[in-house]
Amino acid sequence: MWPDFDQTPERNTGTPEITDVSTVVVDGNFPWTIVTLETDAGVTGIGEAYPSPGVHEVITDYLQPVLSGENPLDVERLYHLMRESLSGRGSQQGMGTIAISGVELALWDAAGKILEQPVYQLLGGKMREEVRLYADCHAGEGMVEAALDEQPTEAYEAAAYAKAARSAVDDGFEIVKFDLDVPSGREIDTLARHFDGPEIEHKRALVEAVTDEVGDEAEVAVDLHWNFSVEAAEKLCQALEPYDLAWIEDPLPPENEDAMAQLNRNVSQALLTGENCYGRHGFQDLVEQQAVSFVAPDIPKTGGIAETKKIGELADTYYMTLTPHNVGSPVATMAGVHVGATVPNFLALEYHARDVPWWDDLVDSDEPLIQDGRITVPDTPGLGIELDWDVVEEHRKT
Amino acid sequence: MWPDFDQTPERNTGTPEITDVSTVVVDGNFPWTIVTLETDAGVTGIGEAYPSPGVHEVITDYLQPVLSGENPLDVERLYHLMRESLSGRGSQQGMGTIAISGVELALWDAAGKILEQPVYQLLGGKMREEVRLYADCHAGEGMVEAALDEQPTEAYEAAAYAKAARSAVDDGFEIVKFDLDVPSGREIDTLARHFDGPEIEHKRALVEAVTDEVGDEAEVAVDLHWNFSVEAAEKLCQALEPYDLAWIEDPLPPENEDAMAQLNRNVSQALLTGENCYGRHGFQDLVEQQAVSFVAPDIPKTGGIAETKKIGELADTYYMTLTPHNVGSPVATMAGVHVGATVPNFLALEYHARDVPWWDDLVDSDEPLIQDGRITVPDTPGLGIELDWDVVEEHRKT
């Protein structure tokens, strides 16, 4: 008698139906996996899944038949339906969740377009009129060129970091982030995750170069990409204490929240993690143990827009801050904008494509999407952008 | 530079404004406090606050000026604005939260009407097409009459309980709830919260009469109204083990979650509490300690529709069930219907007005709102009902 997620509730008004779901992969600095969700309402929802093998197949071979004929306005019900349908085959974490996340973004875009509402209005309303982005500067200016020239060590010099920081700050970004898990030029056993004095000093000098360059013009964050042991992370944090960093990201491997909580008790800096955590349950231990200060779910990976909002609300009960991870195209980025518009404890969304000159060309607009380090929250229906399909086609991965 | 909750984000489209907020109190079995929120968009949002002294004054004298000129579509921002504005003067719990909750319901109704969307569509979409209610049967049939005749003990007899259960089940309710914290006729020191064998036996016999009457036609729950010590509650639970109750509600006073967790470890029955808890933080310890099986926030008291959905989501991370408390008019009840339509782990909403024959007359409709123990989730804008203002006026408390 009681409906399950696969029973579409009836409506008095005309009920739109999903007719097809598919993906197009764009060859960016990651393989950006654009999800297209067709409806019989004259509207196509556009989403994006985190770049991952298998996602195209899960969406087209598996989720498409599950969703066909369903009402795209029932976004949260269909999220549960997709999870339930994959169930033991991996809907709680990993590729299954990534595929579901990509479709969830497309559902919100479709629902907004059908209802002629911006997505934020379907999430509780707008709290901000613009959303701040922070610039991921990777390993400094010249990293890409250096890699191409097979001279990778050149990239990891203080001057290259400072140059990249200056460029991002001049573009209006108020938080800049750099990789610190980079080679110093010395031979070390990185698998041991221990770093001796000269290694720590190499990283300290990179941070000093950046903070000297930007001063009070921007906050500086660093990313350790899971490469430190607890003791090595503590040592690095102590060395970085003078530089008042915004956060230290992913100091430890991602599986053990107890270790992160231990590190957090022992260091004075704010820690950030979350791009490998799936859904509220993936963040539950981190939040309840107060193991970090910033939670960074990747929206098209962790479960999508609504799940990320719930993660933000969970973090808010412990007065933590939401800073979503983002390595995506403008589609995933706009998902972050609508989350950021509606979650009070949101600080900034990552922007990871400063080295992709045609990132903006993917959007059918004369204006750049990001201006002065911010995106204006759009009042247009759905996610608020339309892709330029000629540019998509030009960079389509075959 | 970064907007606070009191800065209305701009929109490209026409921005509606709140012009007035006030209340009308209806003299039901509680003083139902209807909130009216006027806008310049030709729409009035109708909400309801939990019956409480001071709420009218907080809304009209304090919140009205805070909200005047604000955009009613920014529901969650205005919730935060109201909380921030009351701040140290009691916005986290109690009457301040109750007043804010009442306005929040009216904001959702106004936003839905302005956007021509049912509230559930602004909360993530519909998962159910009807929402189940459970019948609060108080202390059995004849309680009201007995009280009027100054013969209160008559109400607390097994036959009266069975009669009330039969009536509710015949009306289609699938869960019926009874008060068990009722006089046995013996003189005892209730303040001690200890109950001896004959007292426990009196309550056991009441439950047996009800379960014998309804058999498998309905589940039976009991409410203890915070009147037992831990040891007395344990003793009662043991005595009630044969009756397979749906839940045992409020066995202990409401302030101490550790005590509830202790009781929950020691008894086999499912426990329920929450009508005195405010917001996610009010439920945090109960949920994280897994102190109950059912959480029962009162929507127009705990923080409103969106906060209750968040409480449901918090409970869902621990696989607990949402059963909102409700002693309100059809307005508060419809708020529960939209919450129930969108929260997967929702079971049933309380209905507490079976002894108010004109409850349904408050709604401008020829059909009774509750049919066969359920309310159909409406697809009409806002909360989906209009009040009959003549009936409101007739029962208006002056």
Short mmCIF file of all heavy atoms in Angstrom, two decimals, chain A residues 25 88 103-104 129 150 180 202 231 237 254 283 332 347 388:
data_model
loop_
_atom_site.label_atom_id
_atom_site.label_comp_id
_atom_site.label_asym_id
_atom_site.label_seq_id
_atom_site.Cartn_x
_atom_site.Cartn_y
_atom_site.Cartn_z
N VAL A 25 31.66 13.05 -23.24
CA VAL A 25 32.88 13.35 -22.48
C VAL A 25 33.69 14.42 -23.20
O VAL A 25 34.01 14.29 -24.39
CB VAL A 25 33.72 12.08 -22.26
CG1 VAL A 25 35.01 12.42 -21.51
CG2 VAL A 25 32.91 11.05 -21.47
N GLY A 88 23.47 -3.25 -3.86
CA GLY A 88 24.66 -4.03 -3.57
C GLY A 88 25.73 -3.93 -4.64
O GLY A 88 26.88 -4.33 -4.43
N VAL A 103 23.74 12.27 -12.83
CA VAL A 103 22.33 12.32 -13.24
C VAL A 103 21.55 13.28 -12.34
O VAL A 103 20.68 14.02 -12.80
CB VAL A 103 21.71 10.91 -13.21
CG1 VAL A 103 20.22 10.98 -13.51
CG2 VAL A 103 22.42 9.99 -14.20
N GLU A 104 21.88 13.27 -11.04
CA GLU A 104 21.16 14.16 -10.11
C GLU A 104 21.32 15.61 -10.54
O GLU A 104 20.37 16.40 -10.50
CB GLU A 104 21.68 13.94 -8.68
CG GLU A 104 20.74 14.47 -7.61
CD GLU A 104 21.20 15.73 -6.92
OE1 GLU A 104 22.12 16.43 -7.45
OE2 GLU A 104 20.65 16.06 -5.88
N GLU A 129 24.08 36.60 -3.57
CA GLU A 129 23.88 36.86 -4.99
C GLU A 129 25.12 36.57 -5.81
O GLU A 129 25.08 36.58 -7.03
CB GLU A 129 23.36 38.27 -5.25
CG GLU A 129 24.17 39.38 -4.66
CD GLU A 129 23.41 40.70 -4.80
OE1 GLU A 129 23.06 41.03 -5.93
OE2 GLU A 129 23.19 41.37 -3.79
N GLU A 150 59.54 17.87 -20.19
CA GLU A 150 60.20 16.85 -19.38
C GLU A 150 61.23 17.46 -18.44
O GLU A 150 62.33 16.96 -18.26
CB GLU A 150 60.82 15.76 -20.25
CG GLU A 150 59.73 14.94 -20.94
CD GLU A 150 60.28 13.84 -21.82
OE1 GLU A 150 61.50 13.66 -21.84
OE2 GLU A 150 59.48 13.15 -22.46
N LEU A 180 51.57 21.00 -2.21
CA LEU A 180 52.84 20.95 -1.48
C LEU A 180 53.46 19.55 -1.49
O LEU A 180 54.56 19.35 -0.98
CB LEU A 180 52.66 21.40 -0.02
CG LEU A 180 52.82 22.88 0.28
CD1 LEU A 180 53.05 23.08 1.77
CD2 LEU A 180 53.95 23.53 -0.51
N HIS A 202 61.93 22.60 2.16
CA HIS A 202 61.57 22.87 0.76
C HIS A 202 60.12 23.34 0.66
O HIS A 202 59.80 24.33 -0.01
CB HIS A 202 61.79 21.60 -0.07
CG HIS A 202 61.17 21.64 -1.44
ND1 HIS A 202 60.12 20.84 -1.81
CD2 HIS A 202 61.45 22.41 -2.53
CE1 HIS A 202 59.77 21.10 -3.06
NE2 HIS A 202 60.57 22.04 -3.53
N GLU A 231 52.79 11.82 11.86
CA GLU A 231 53.94 12.56 12.43
C GLU A 231 54.53 13.53 11.42
O GLU A 231 54.90 14.65 11.77
CB GLU A 231 54.99 11.60 13.01
CG GLU A 231 55.67 10.65 12.02
CD GLU A 231 56.79 11.26 11.19
OE1 GLU A 231 57.33 12.31 11.58
OE2 GLU A 231 57.11 10.69 10.13
N CYS A 237 53.02 20.94 9.56
CA CYS A 237 52.11 21.97 10.09
C CYS A 237 52.87 22.92 11.03
O CYS A 237 52.67 24.13 10.99
CB CYS A 237 50.94 21.32 10.83
SG CYS A 237 49.72 20.58 9.72
N PRO A 254 42.94 9.04 2.90
CA PRO A 254 41.55 9.42 3.17
C PRO A 254 40.70 8.43 3.96
O PRO A 254 39.57 8.75 4.28
CB PRO A 254 40.97 9.60 1.77
CG PRO A 254 41.76 8.69 0.91
CD PRO A 254 43.13 8.63 1.50
N PHE A 283 30.81 11.64 5.56
CA PHE A 283 31.30 12.77 6.36
C PHE A 283 30.96 12.64 7.84
O PHE A 283 31.43 13.43 8.65
CB PHE A 283 30.72 14.08 5.81
CG PHE A 283 31.38 14.51 4.54
CD1 PHE A 283 30.90 14.08 3.31
CD2 PHE A 283 32.52 15.31 4.56
CE1 PHE A 283 31.53 14.45 2.12
CE2 PHE A 283 33.15 15.69 3.39
CZ PHE A 283 32.65 15.26 2.16
N ALA A 332 29.44 21.38 -13.67
CA ALA A 332 29.68 21.04 -12.27
C ALA A 332 29.89 22.30 -11.44
O ALA A 332 29.45 22.38 -10.29
CB ALA A 332 30.90 20.12 -12.16
N LEU A 347 31.84 28.67 2.12
CA LEU A 347 32.87 29.71 1.98
C LEU A 347 33.23 29.95 0.52
O LEU A 347 33.09 31.06 0.01
CB LEU A 347 34.13 29.33 2.76
CG LEU A 347 35.32 30.28 2.57
CD1 LEU A 347 35.00 31.67 3.09
CD2 LEU A 347 36.58 29.73 3.21
N ASP A 388 27.68 25.61 -25.19
CA ASP A 388 27.88 25.83 -26.63
C ASP A 388 28.26 24.47 -27.22
O ASP A 388 29.40 24.01 -27.07
CB ASP A 388 28.99 26.86 -26.85
CG ASP A 388 29.16 27.18 -28.33
OD1 ASP A 388 28.97 26.26 -29.17
OD2 ASP A 388 29.50 28.34 -28.64
#
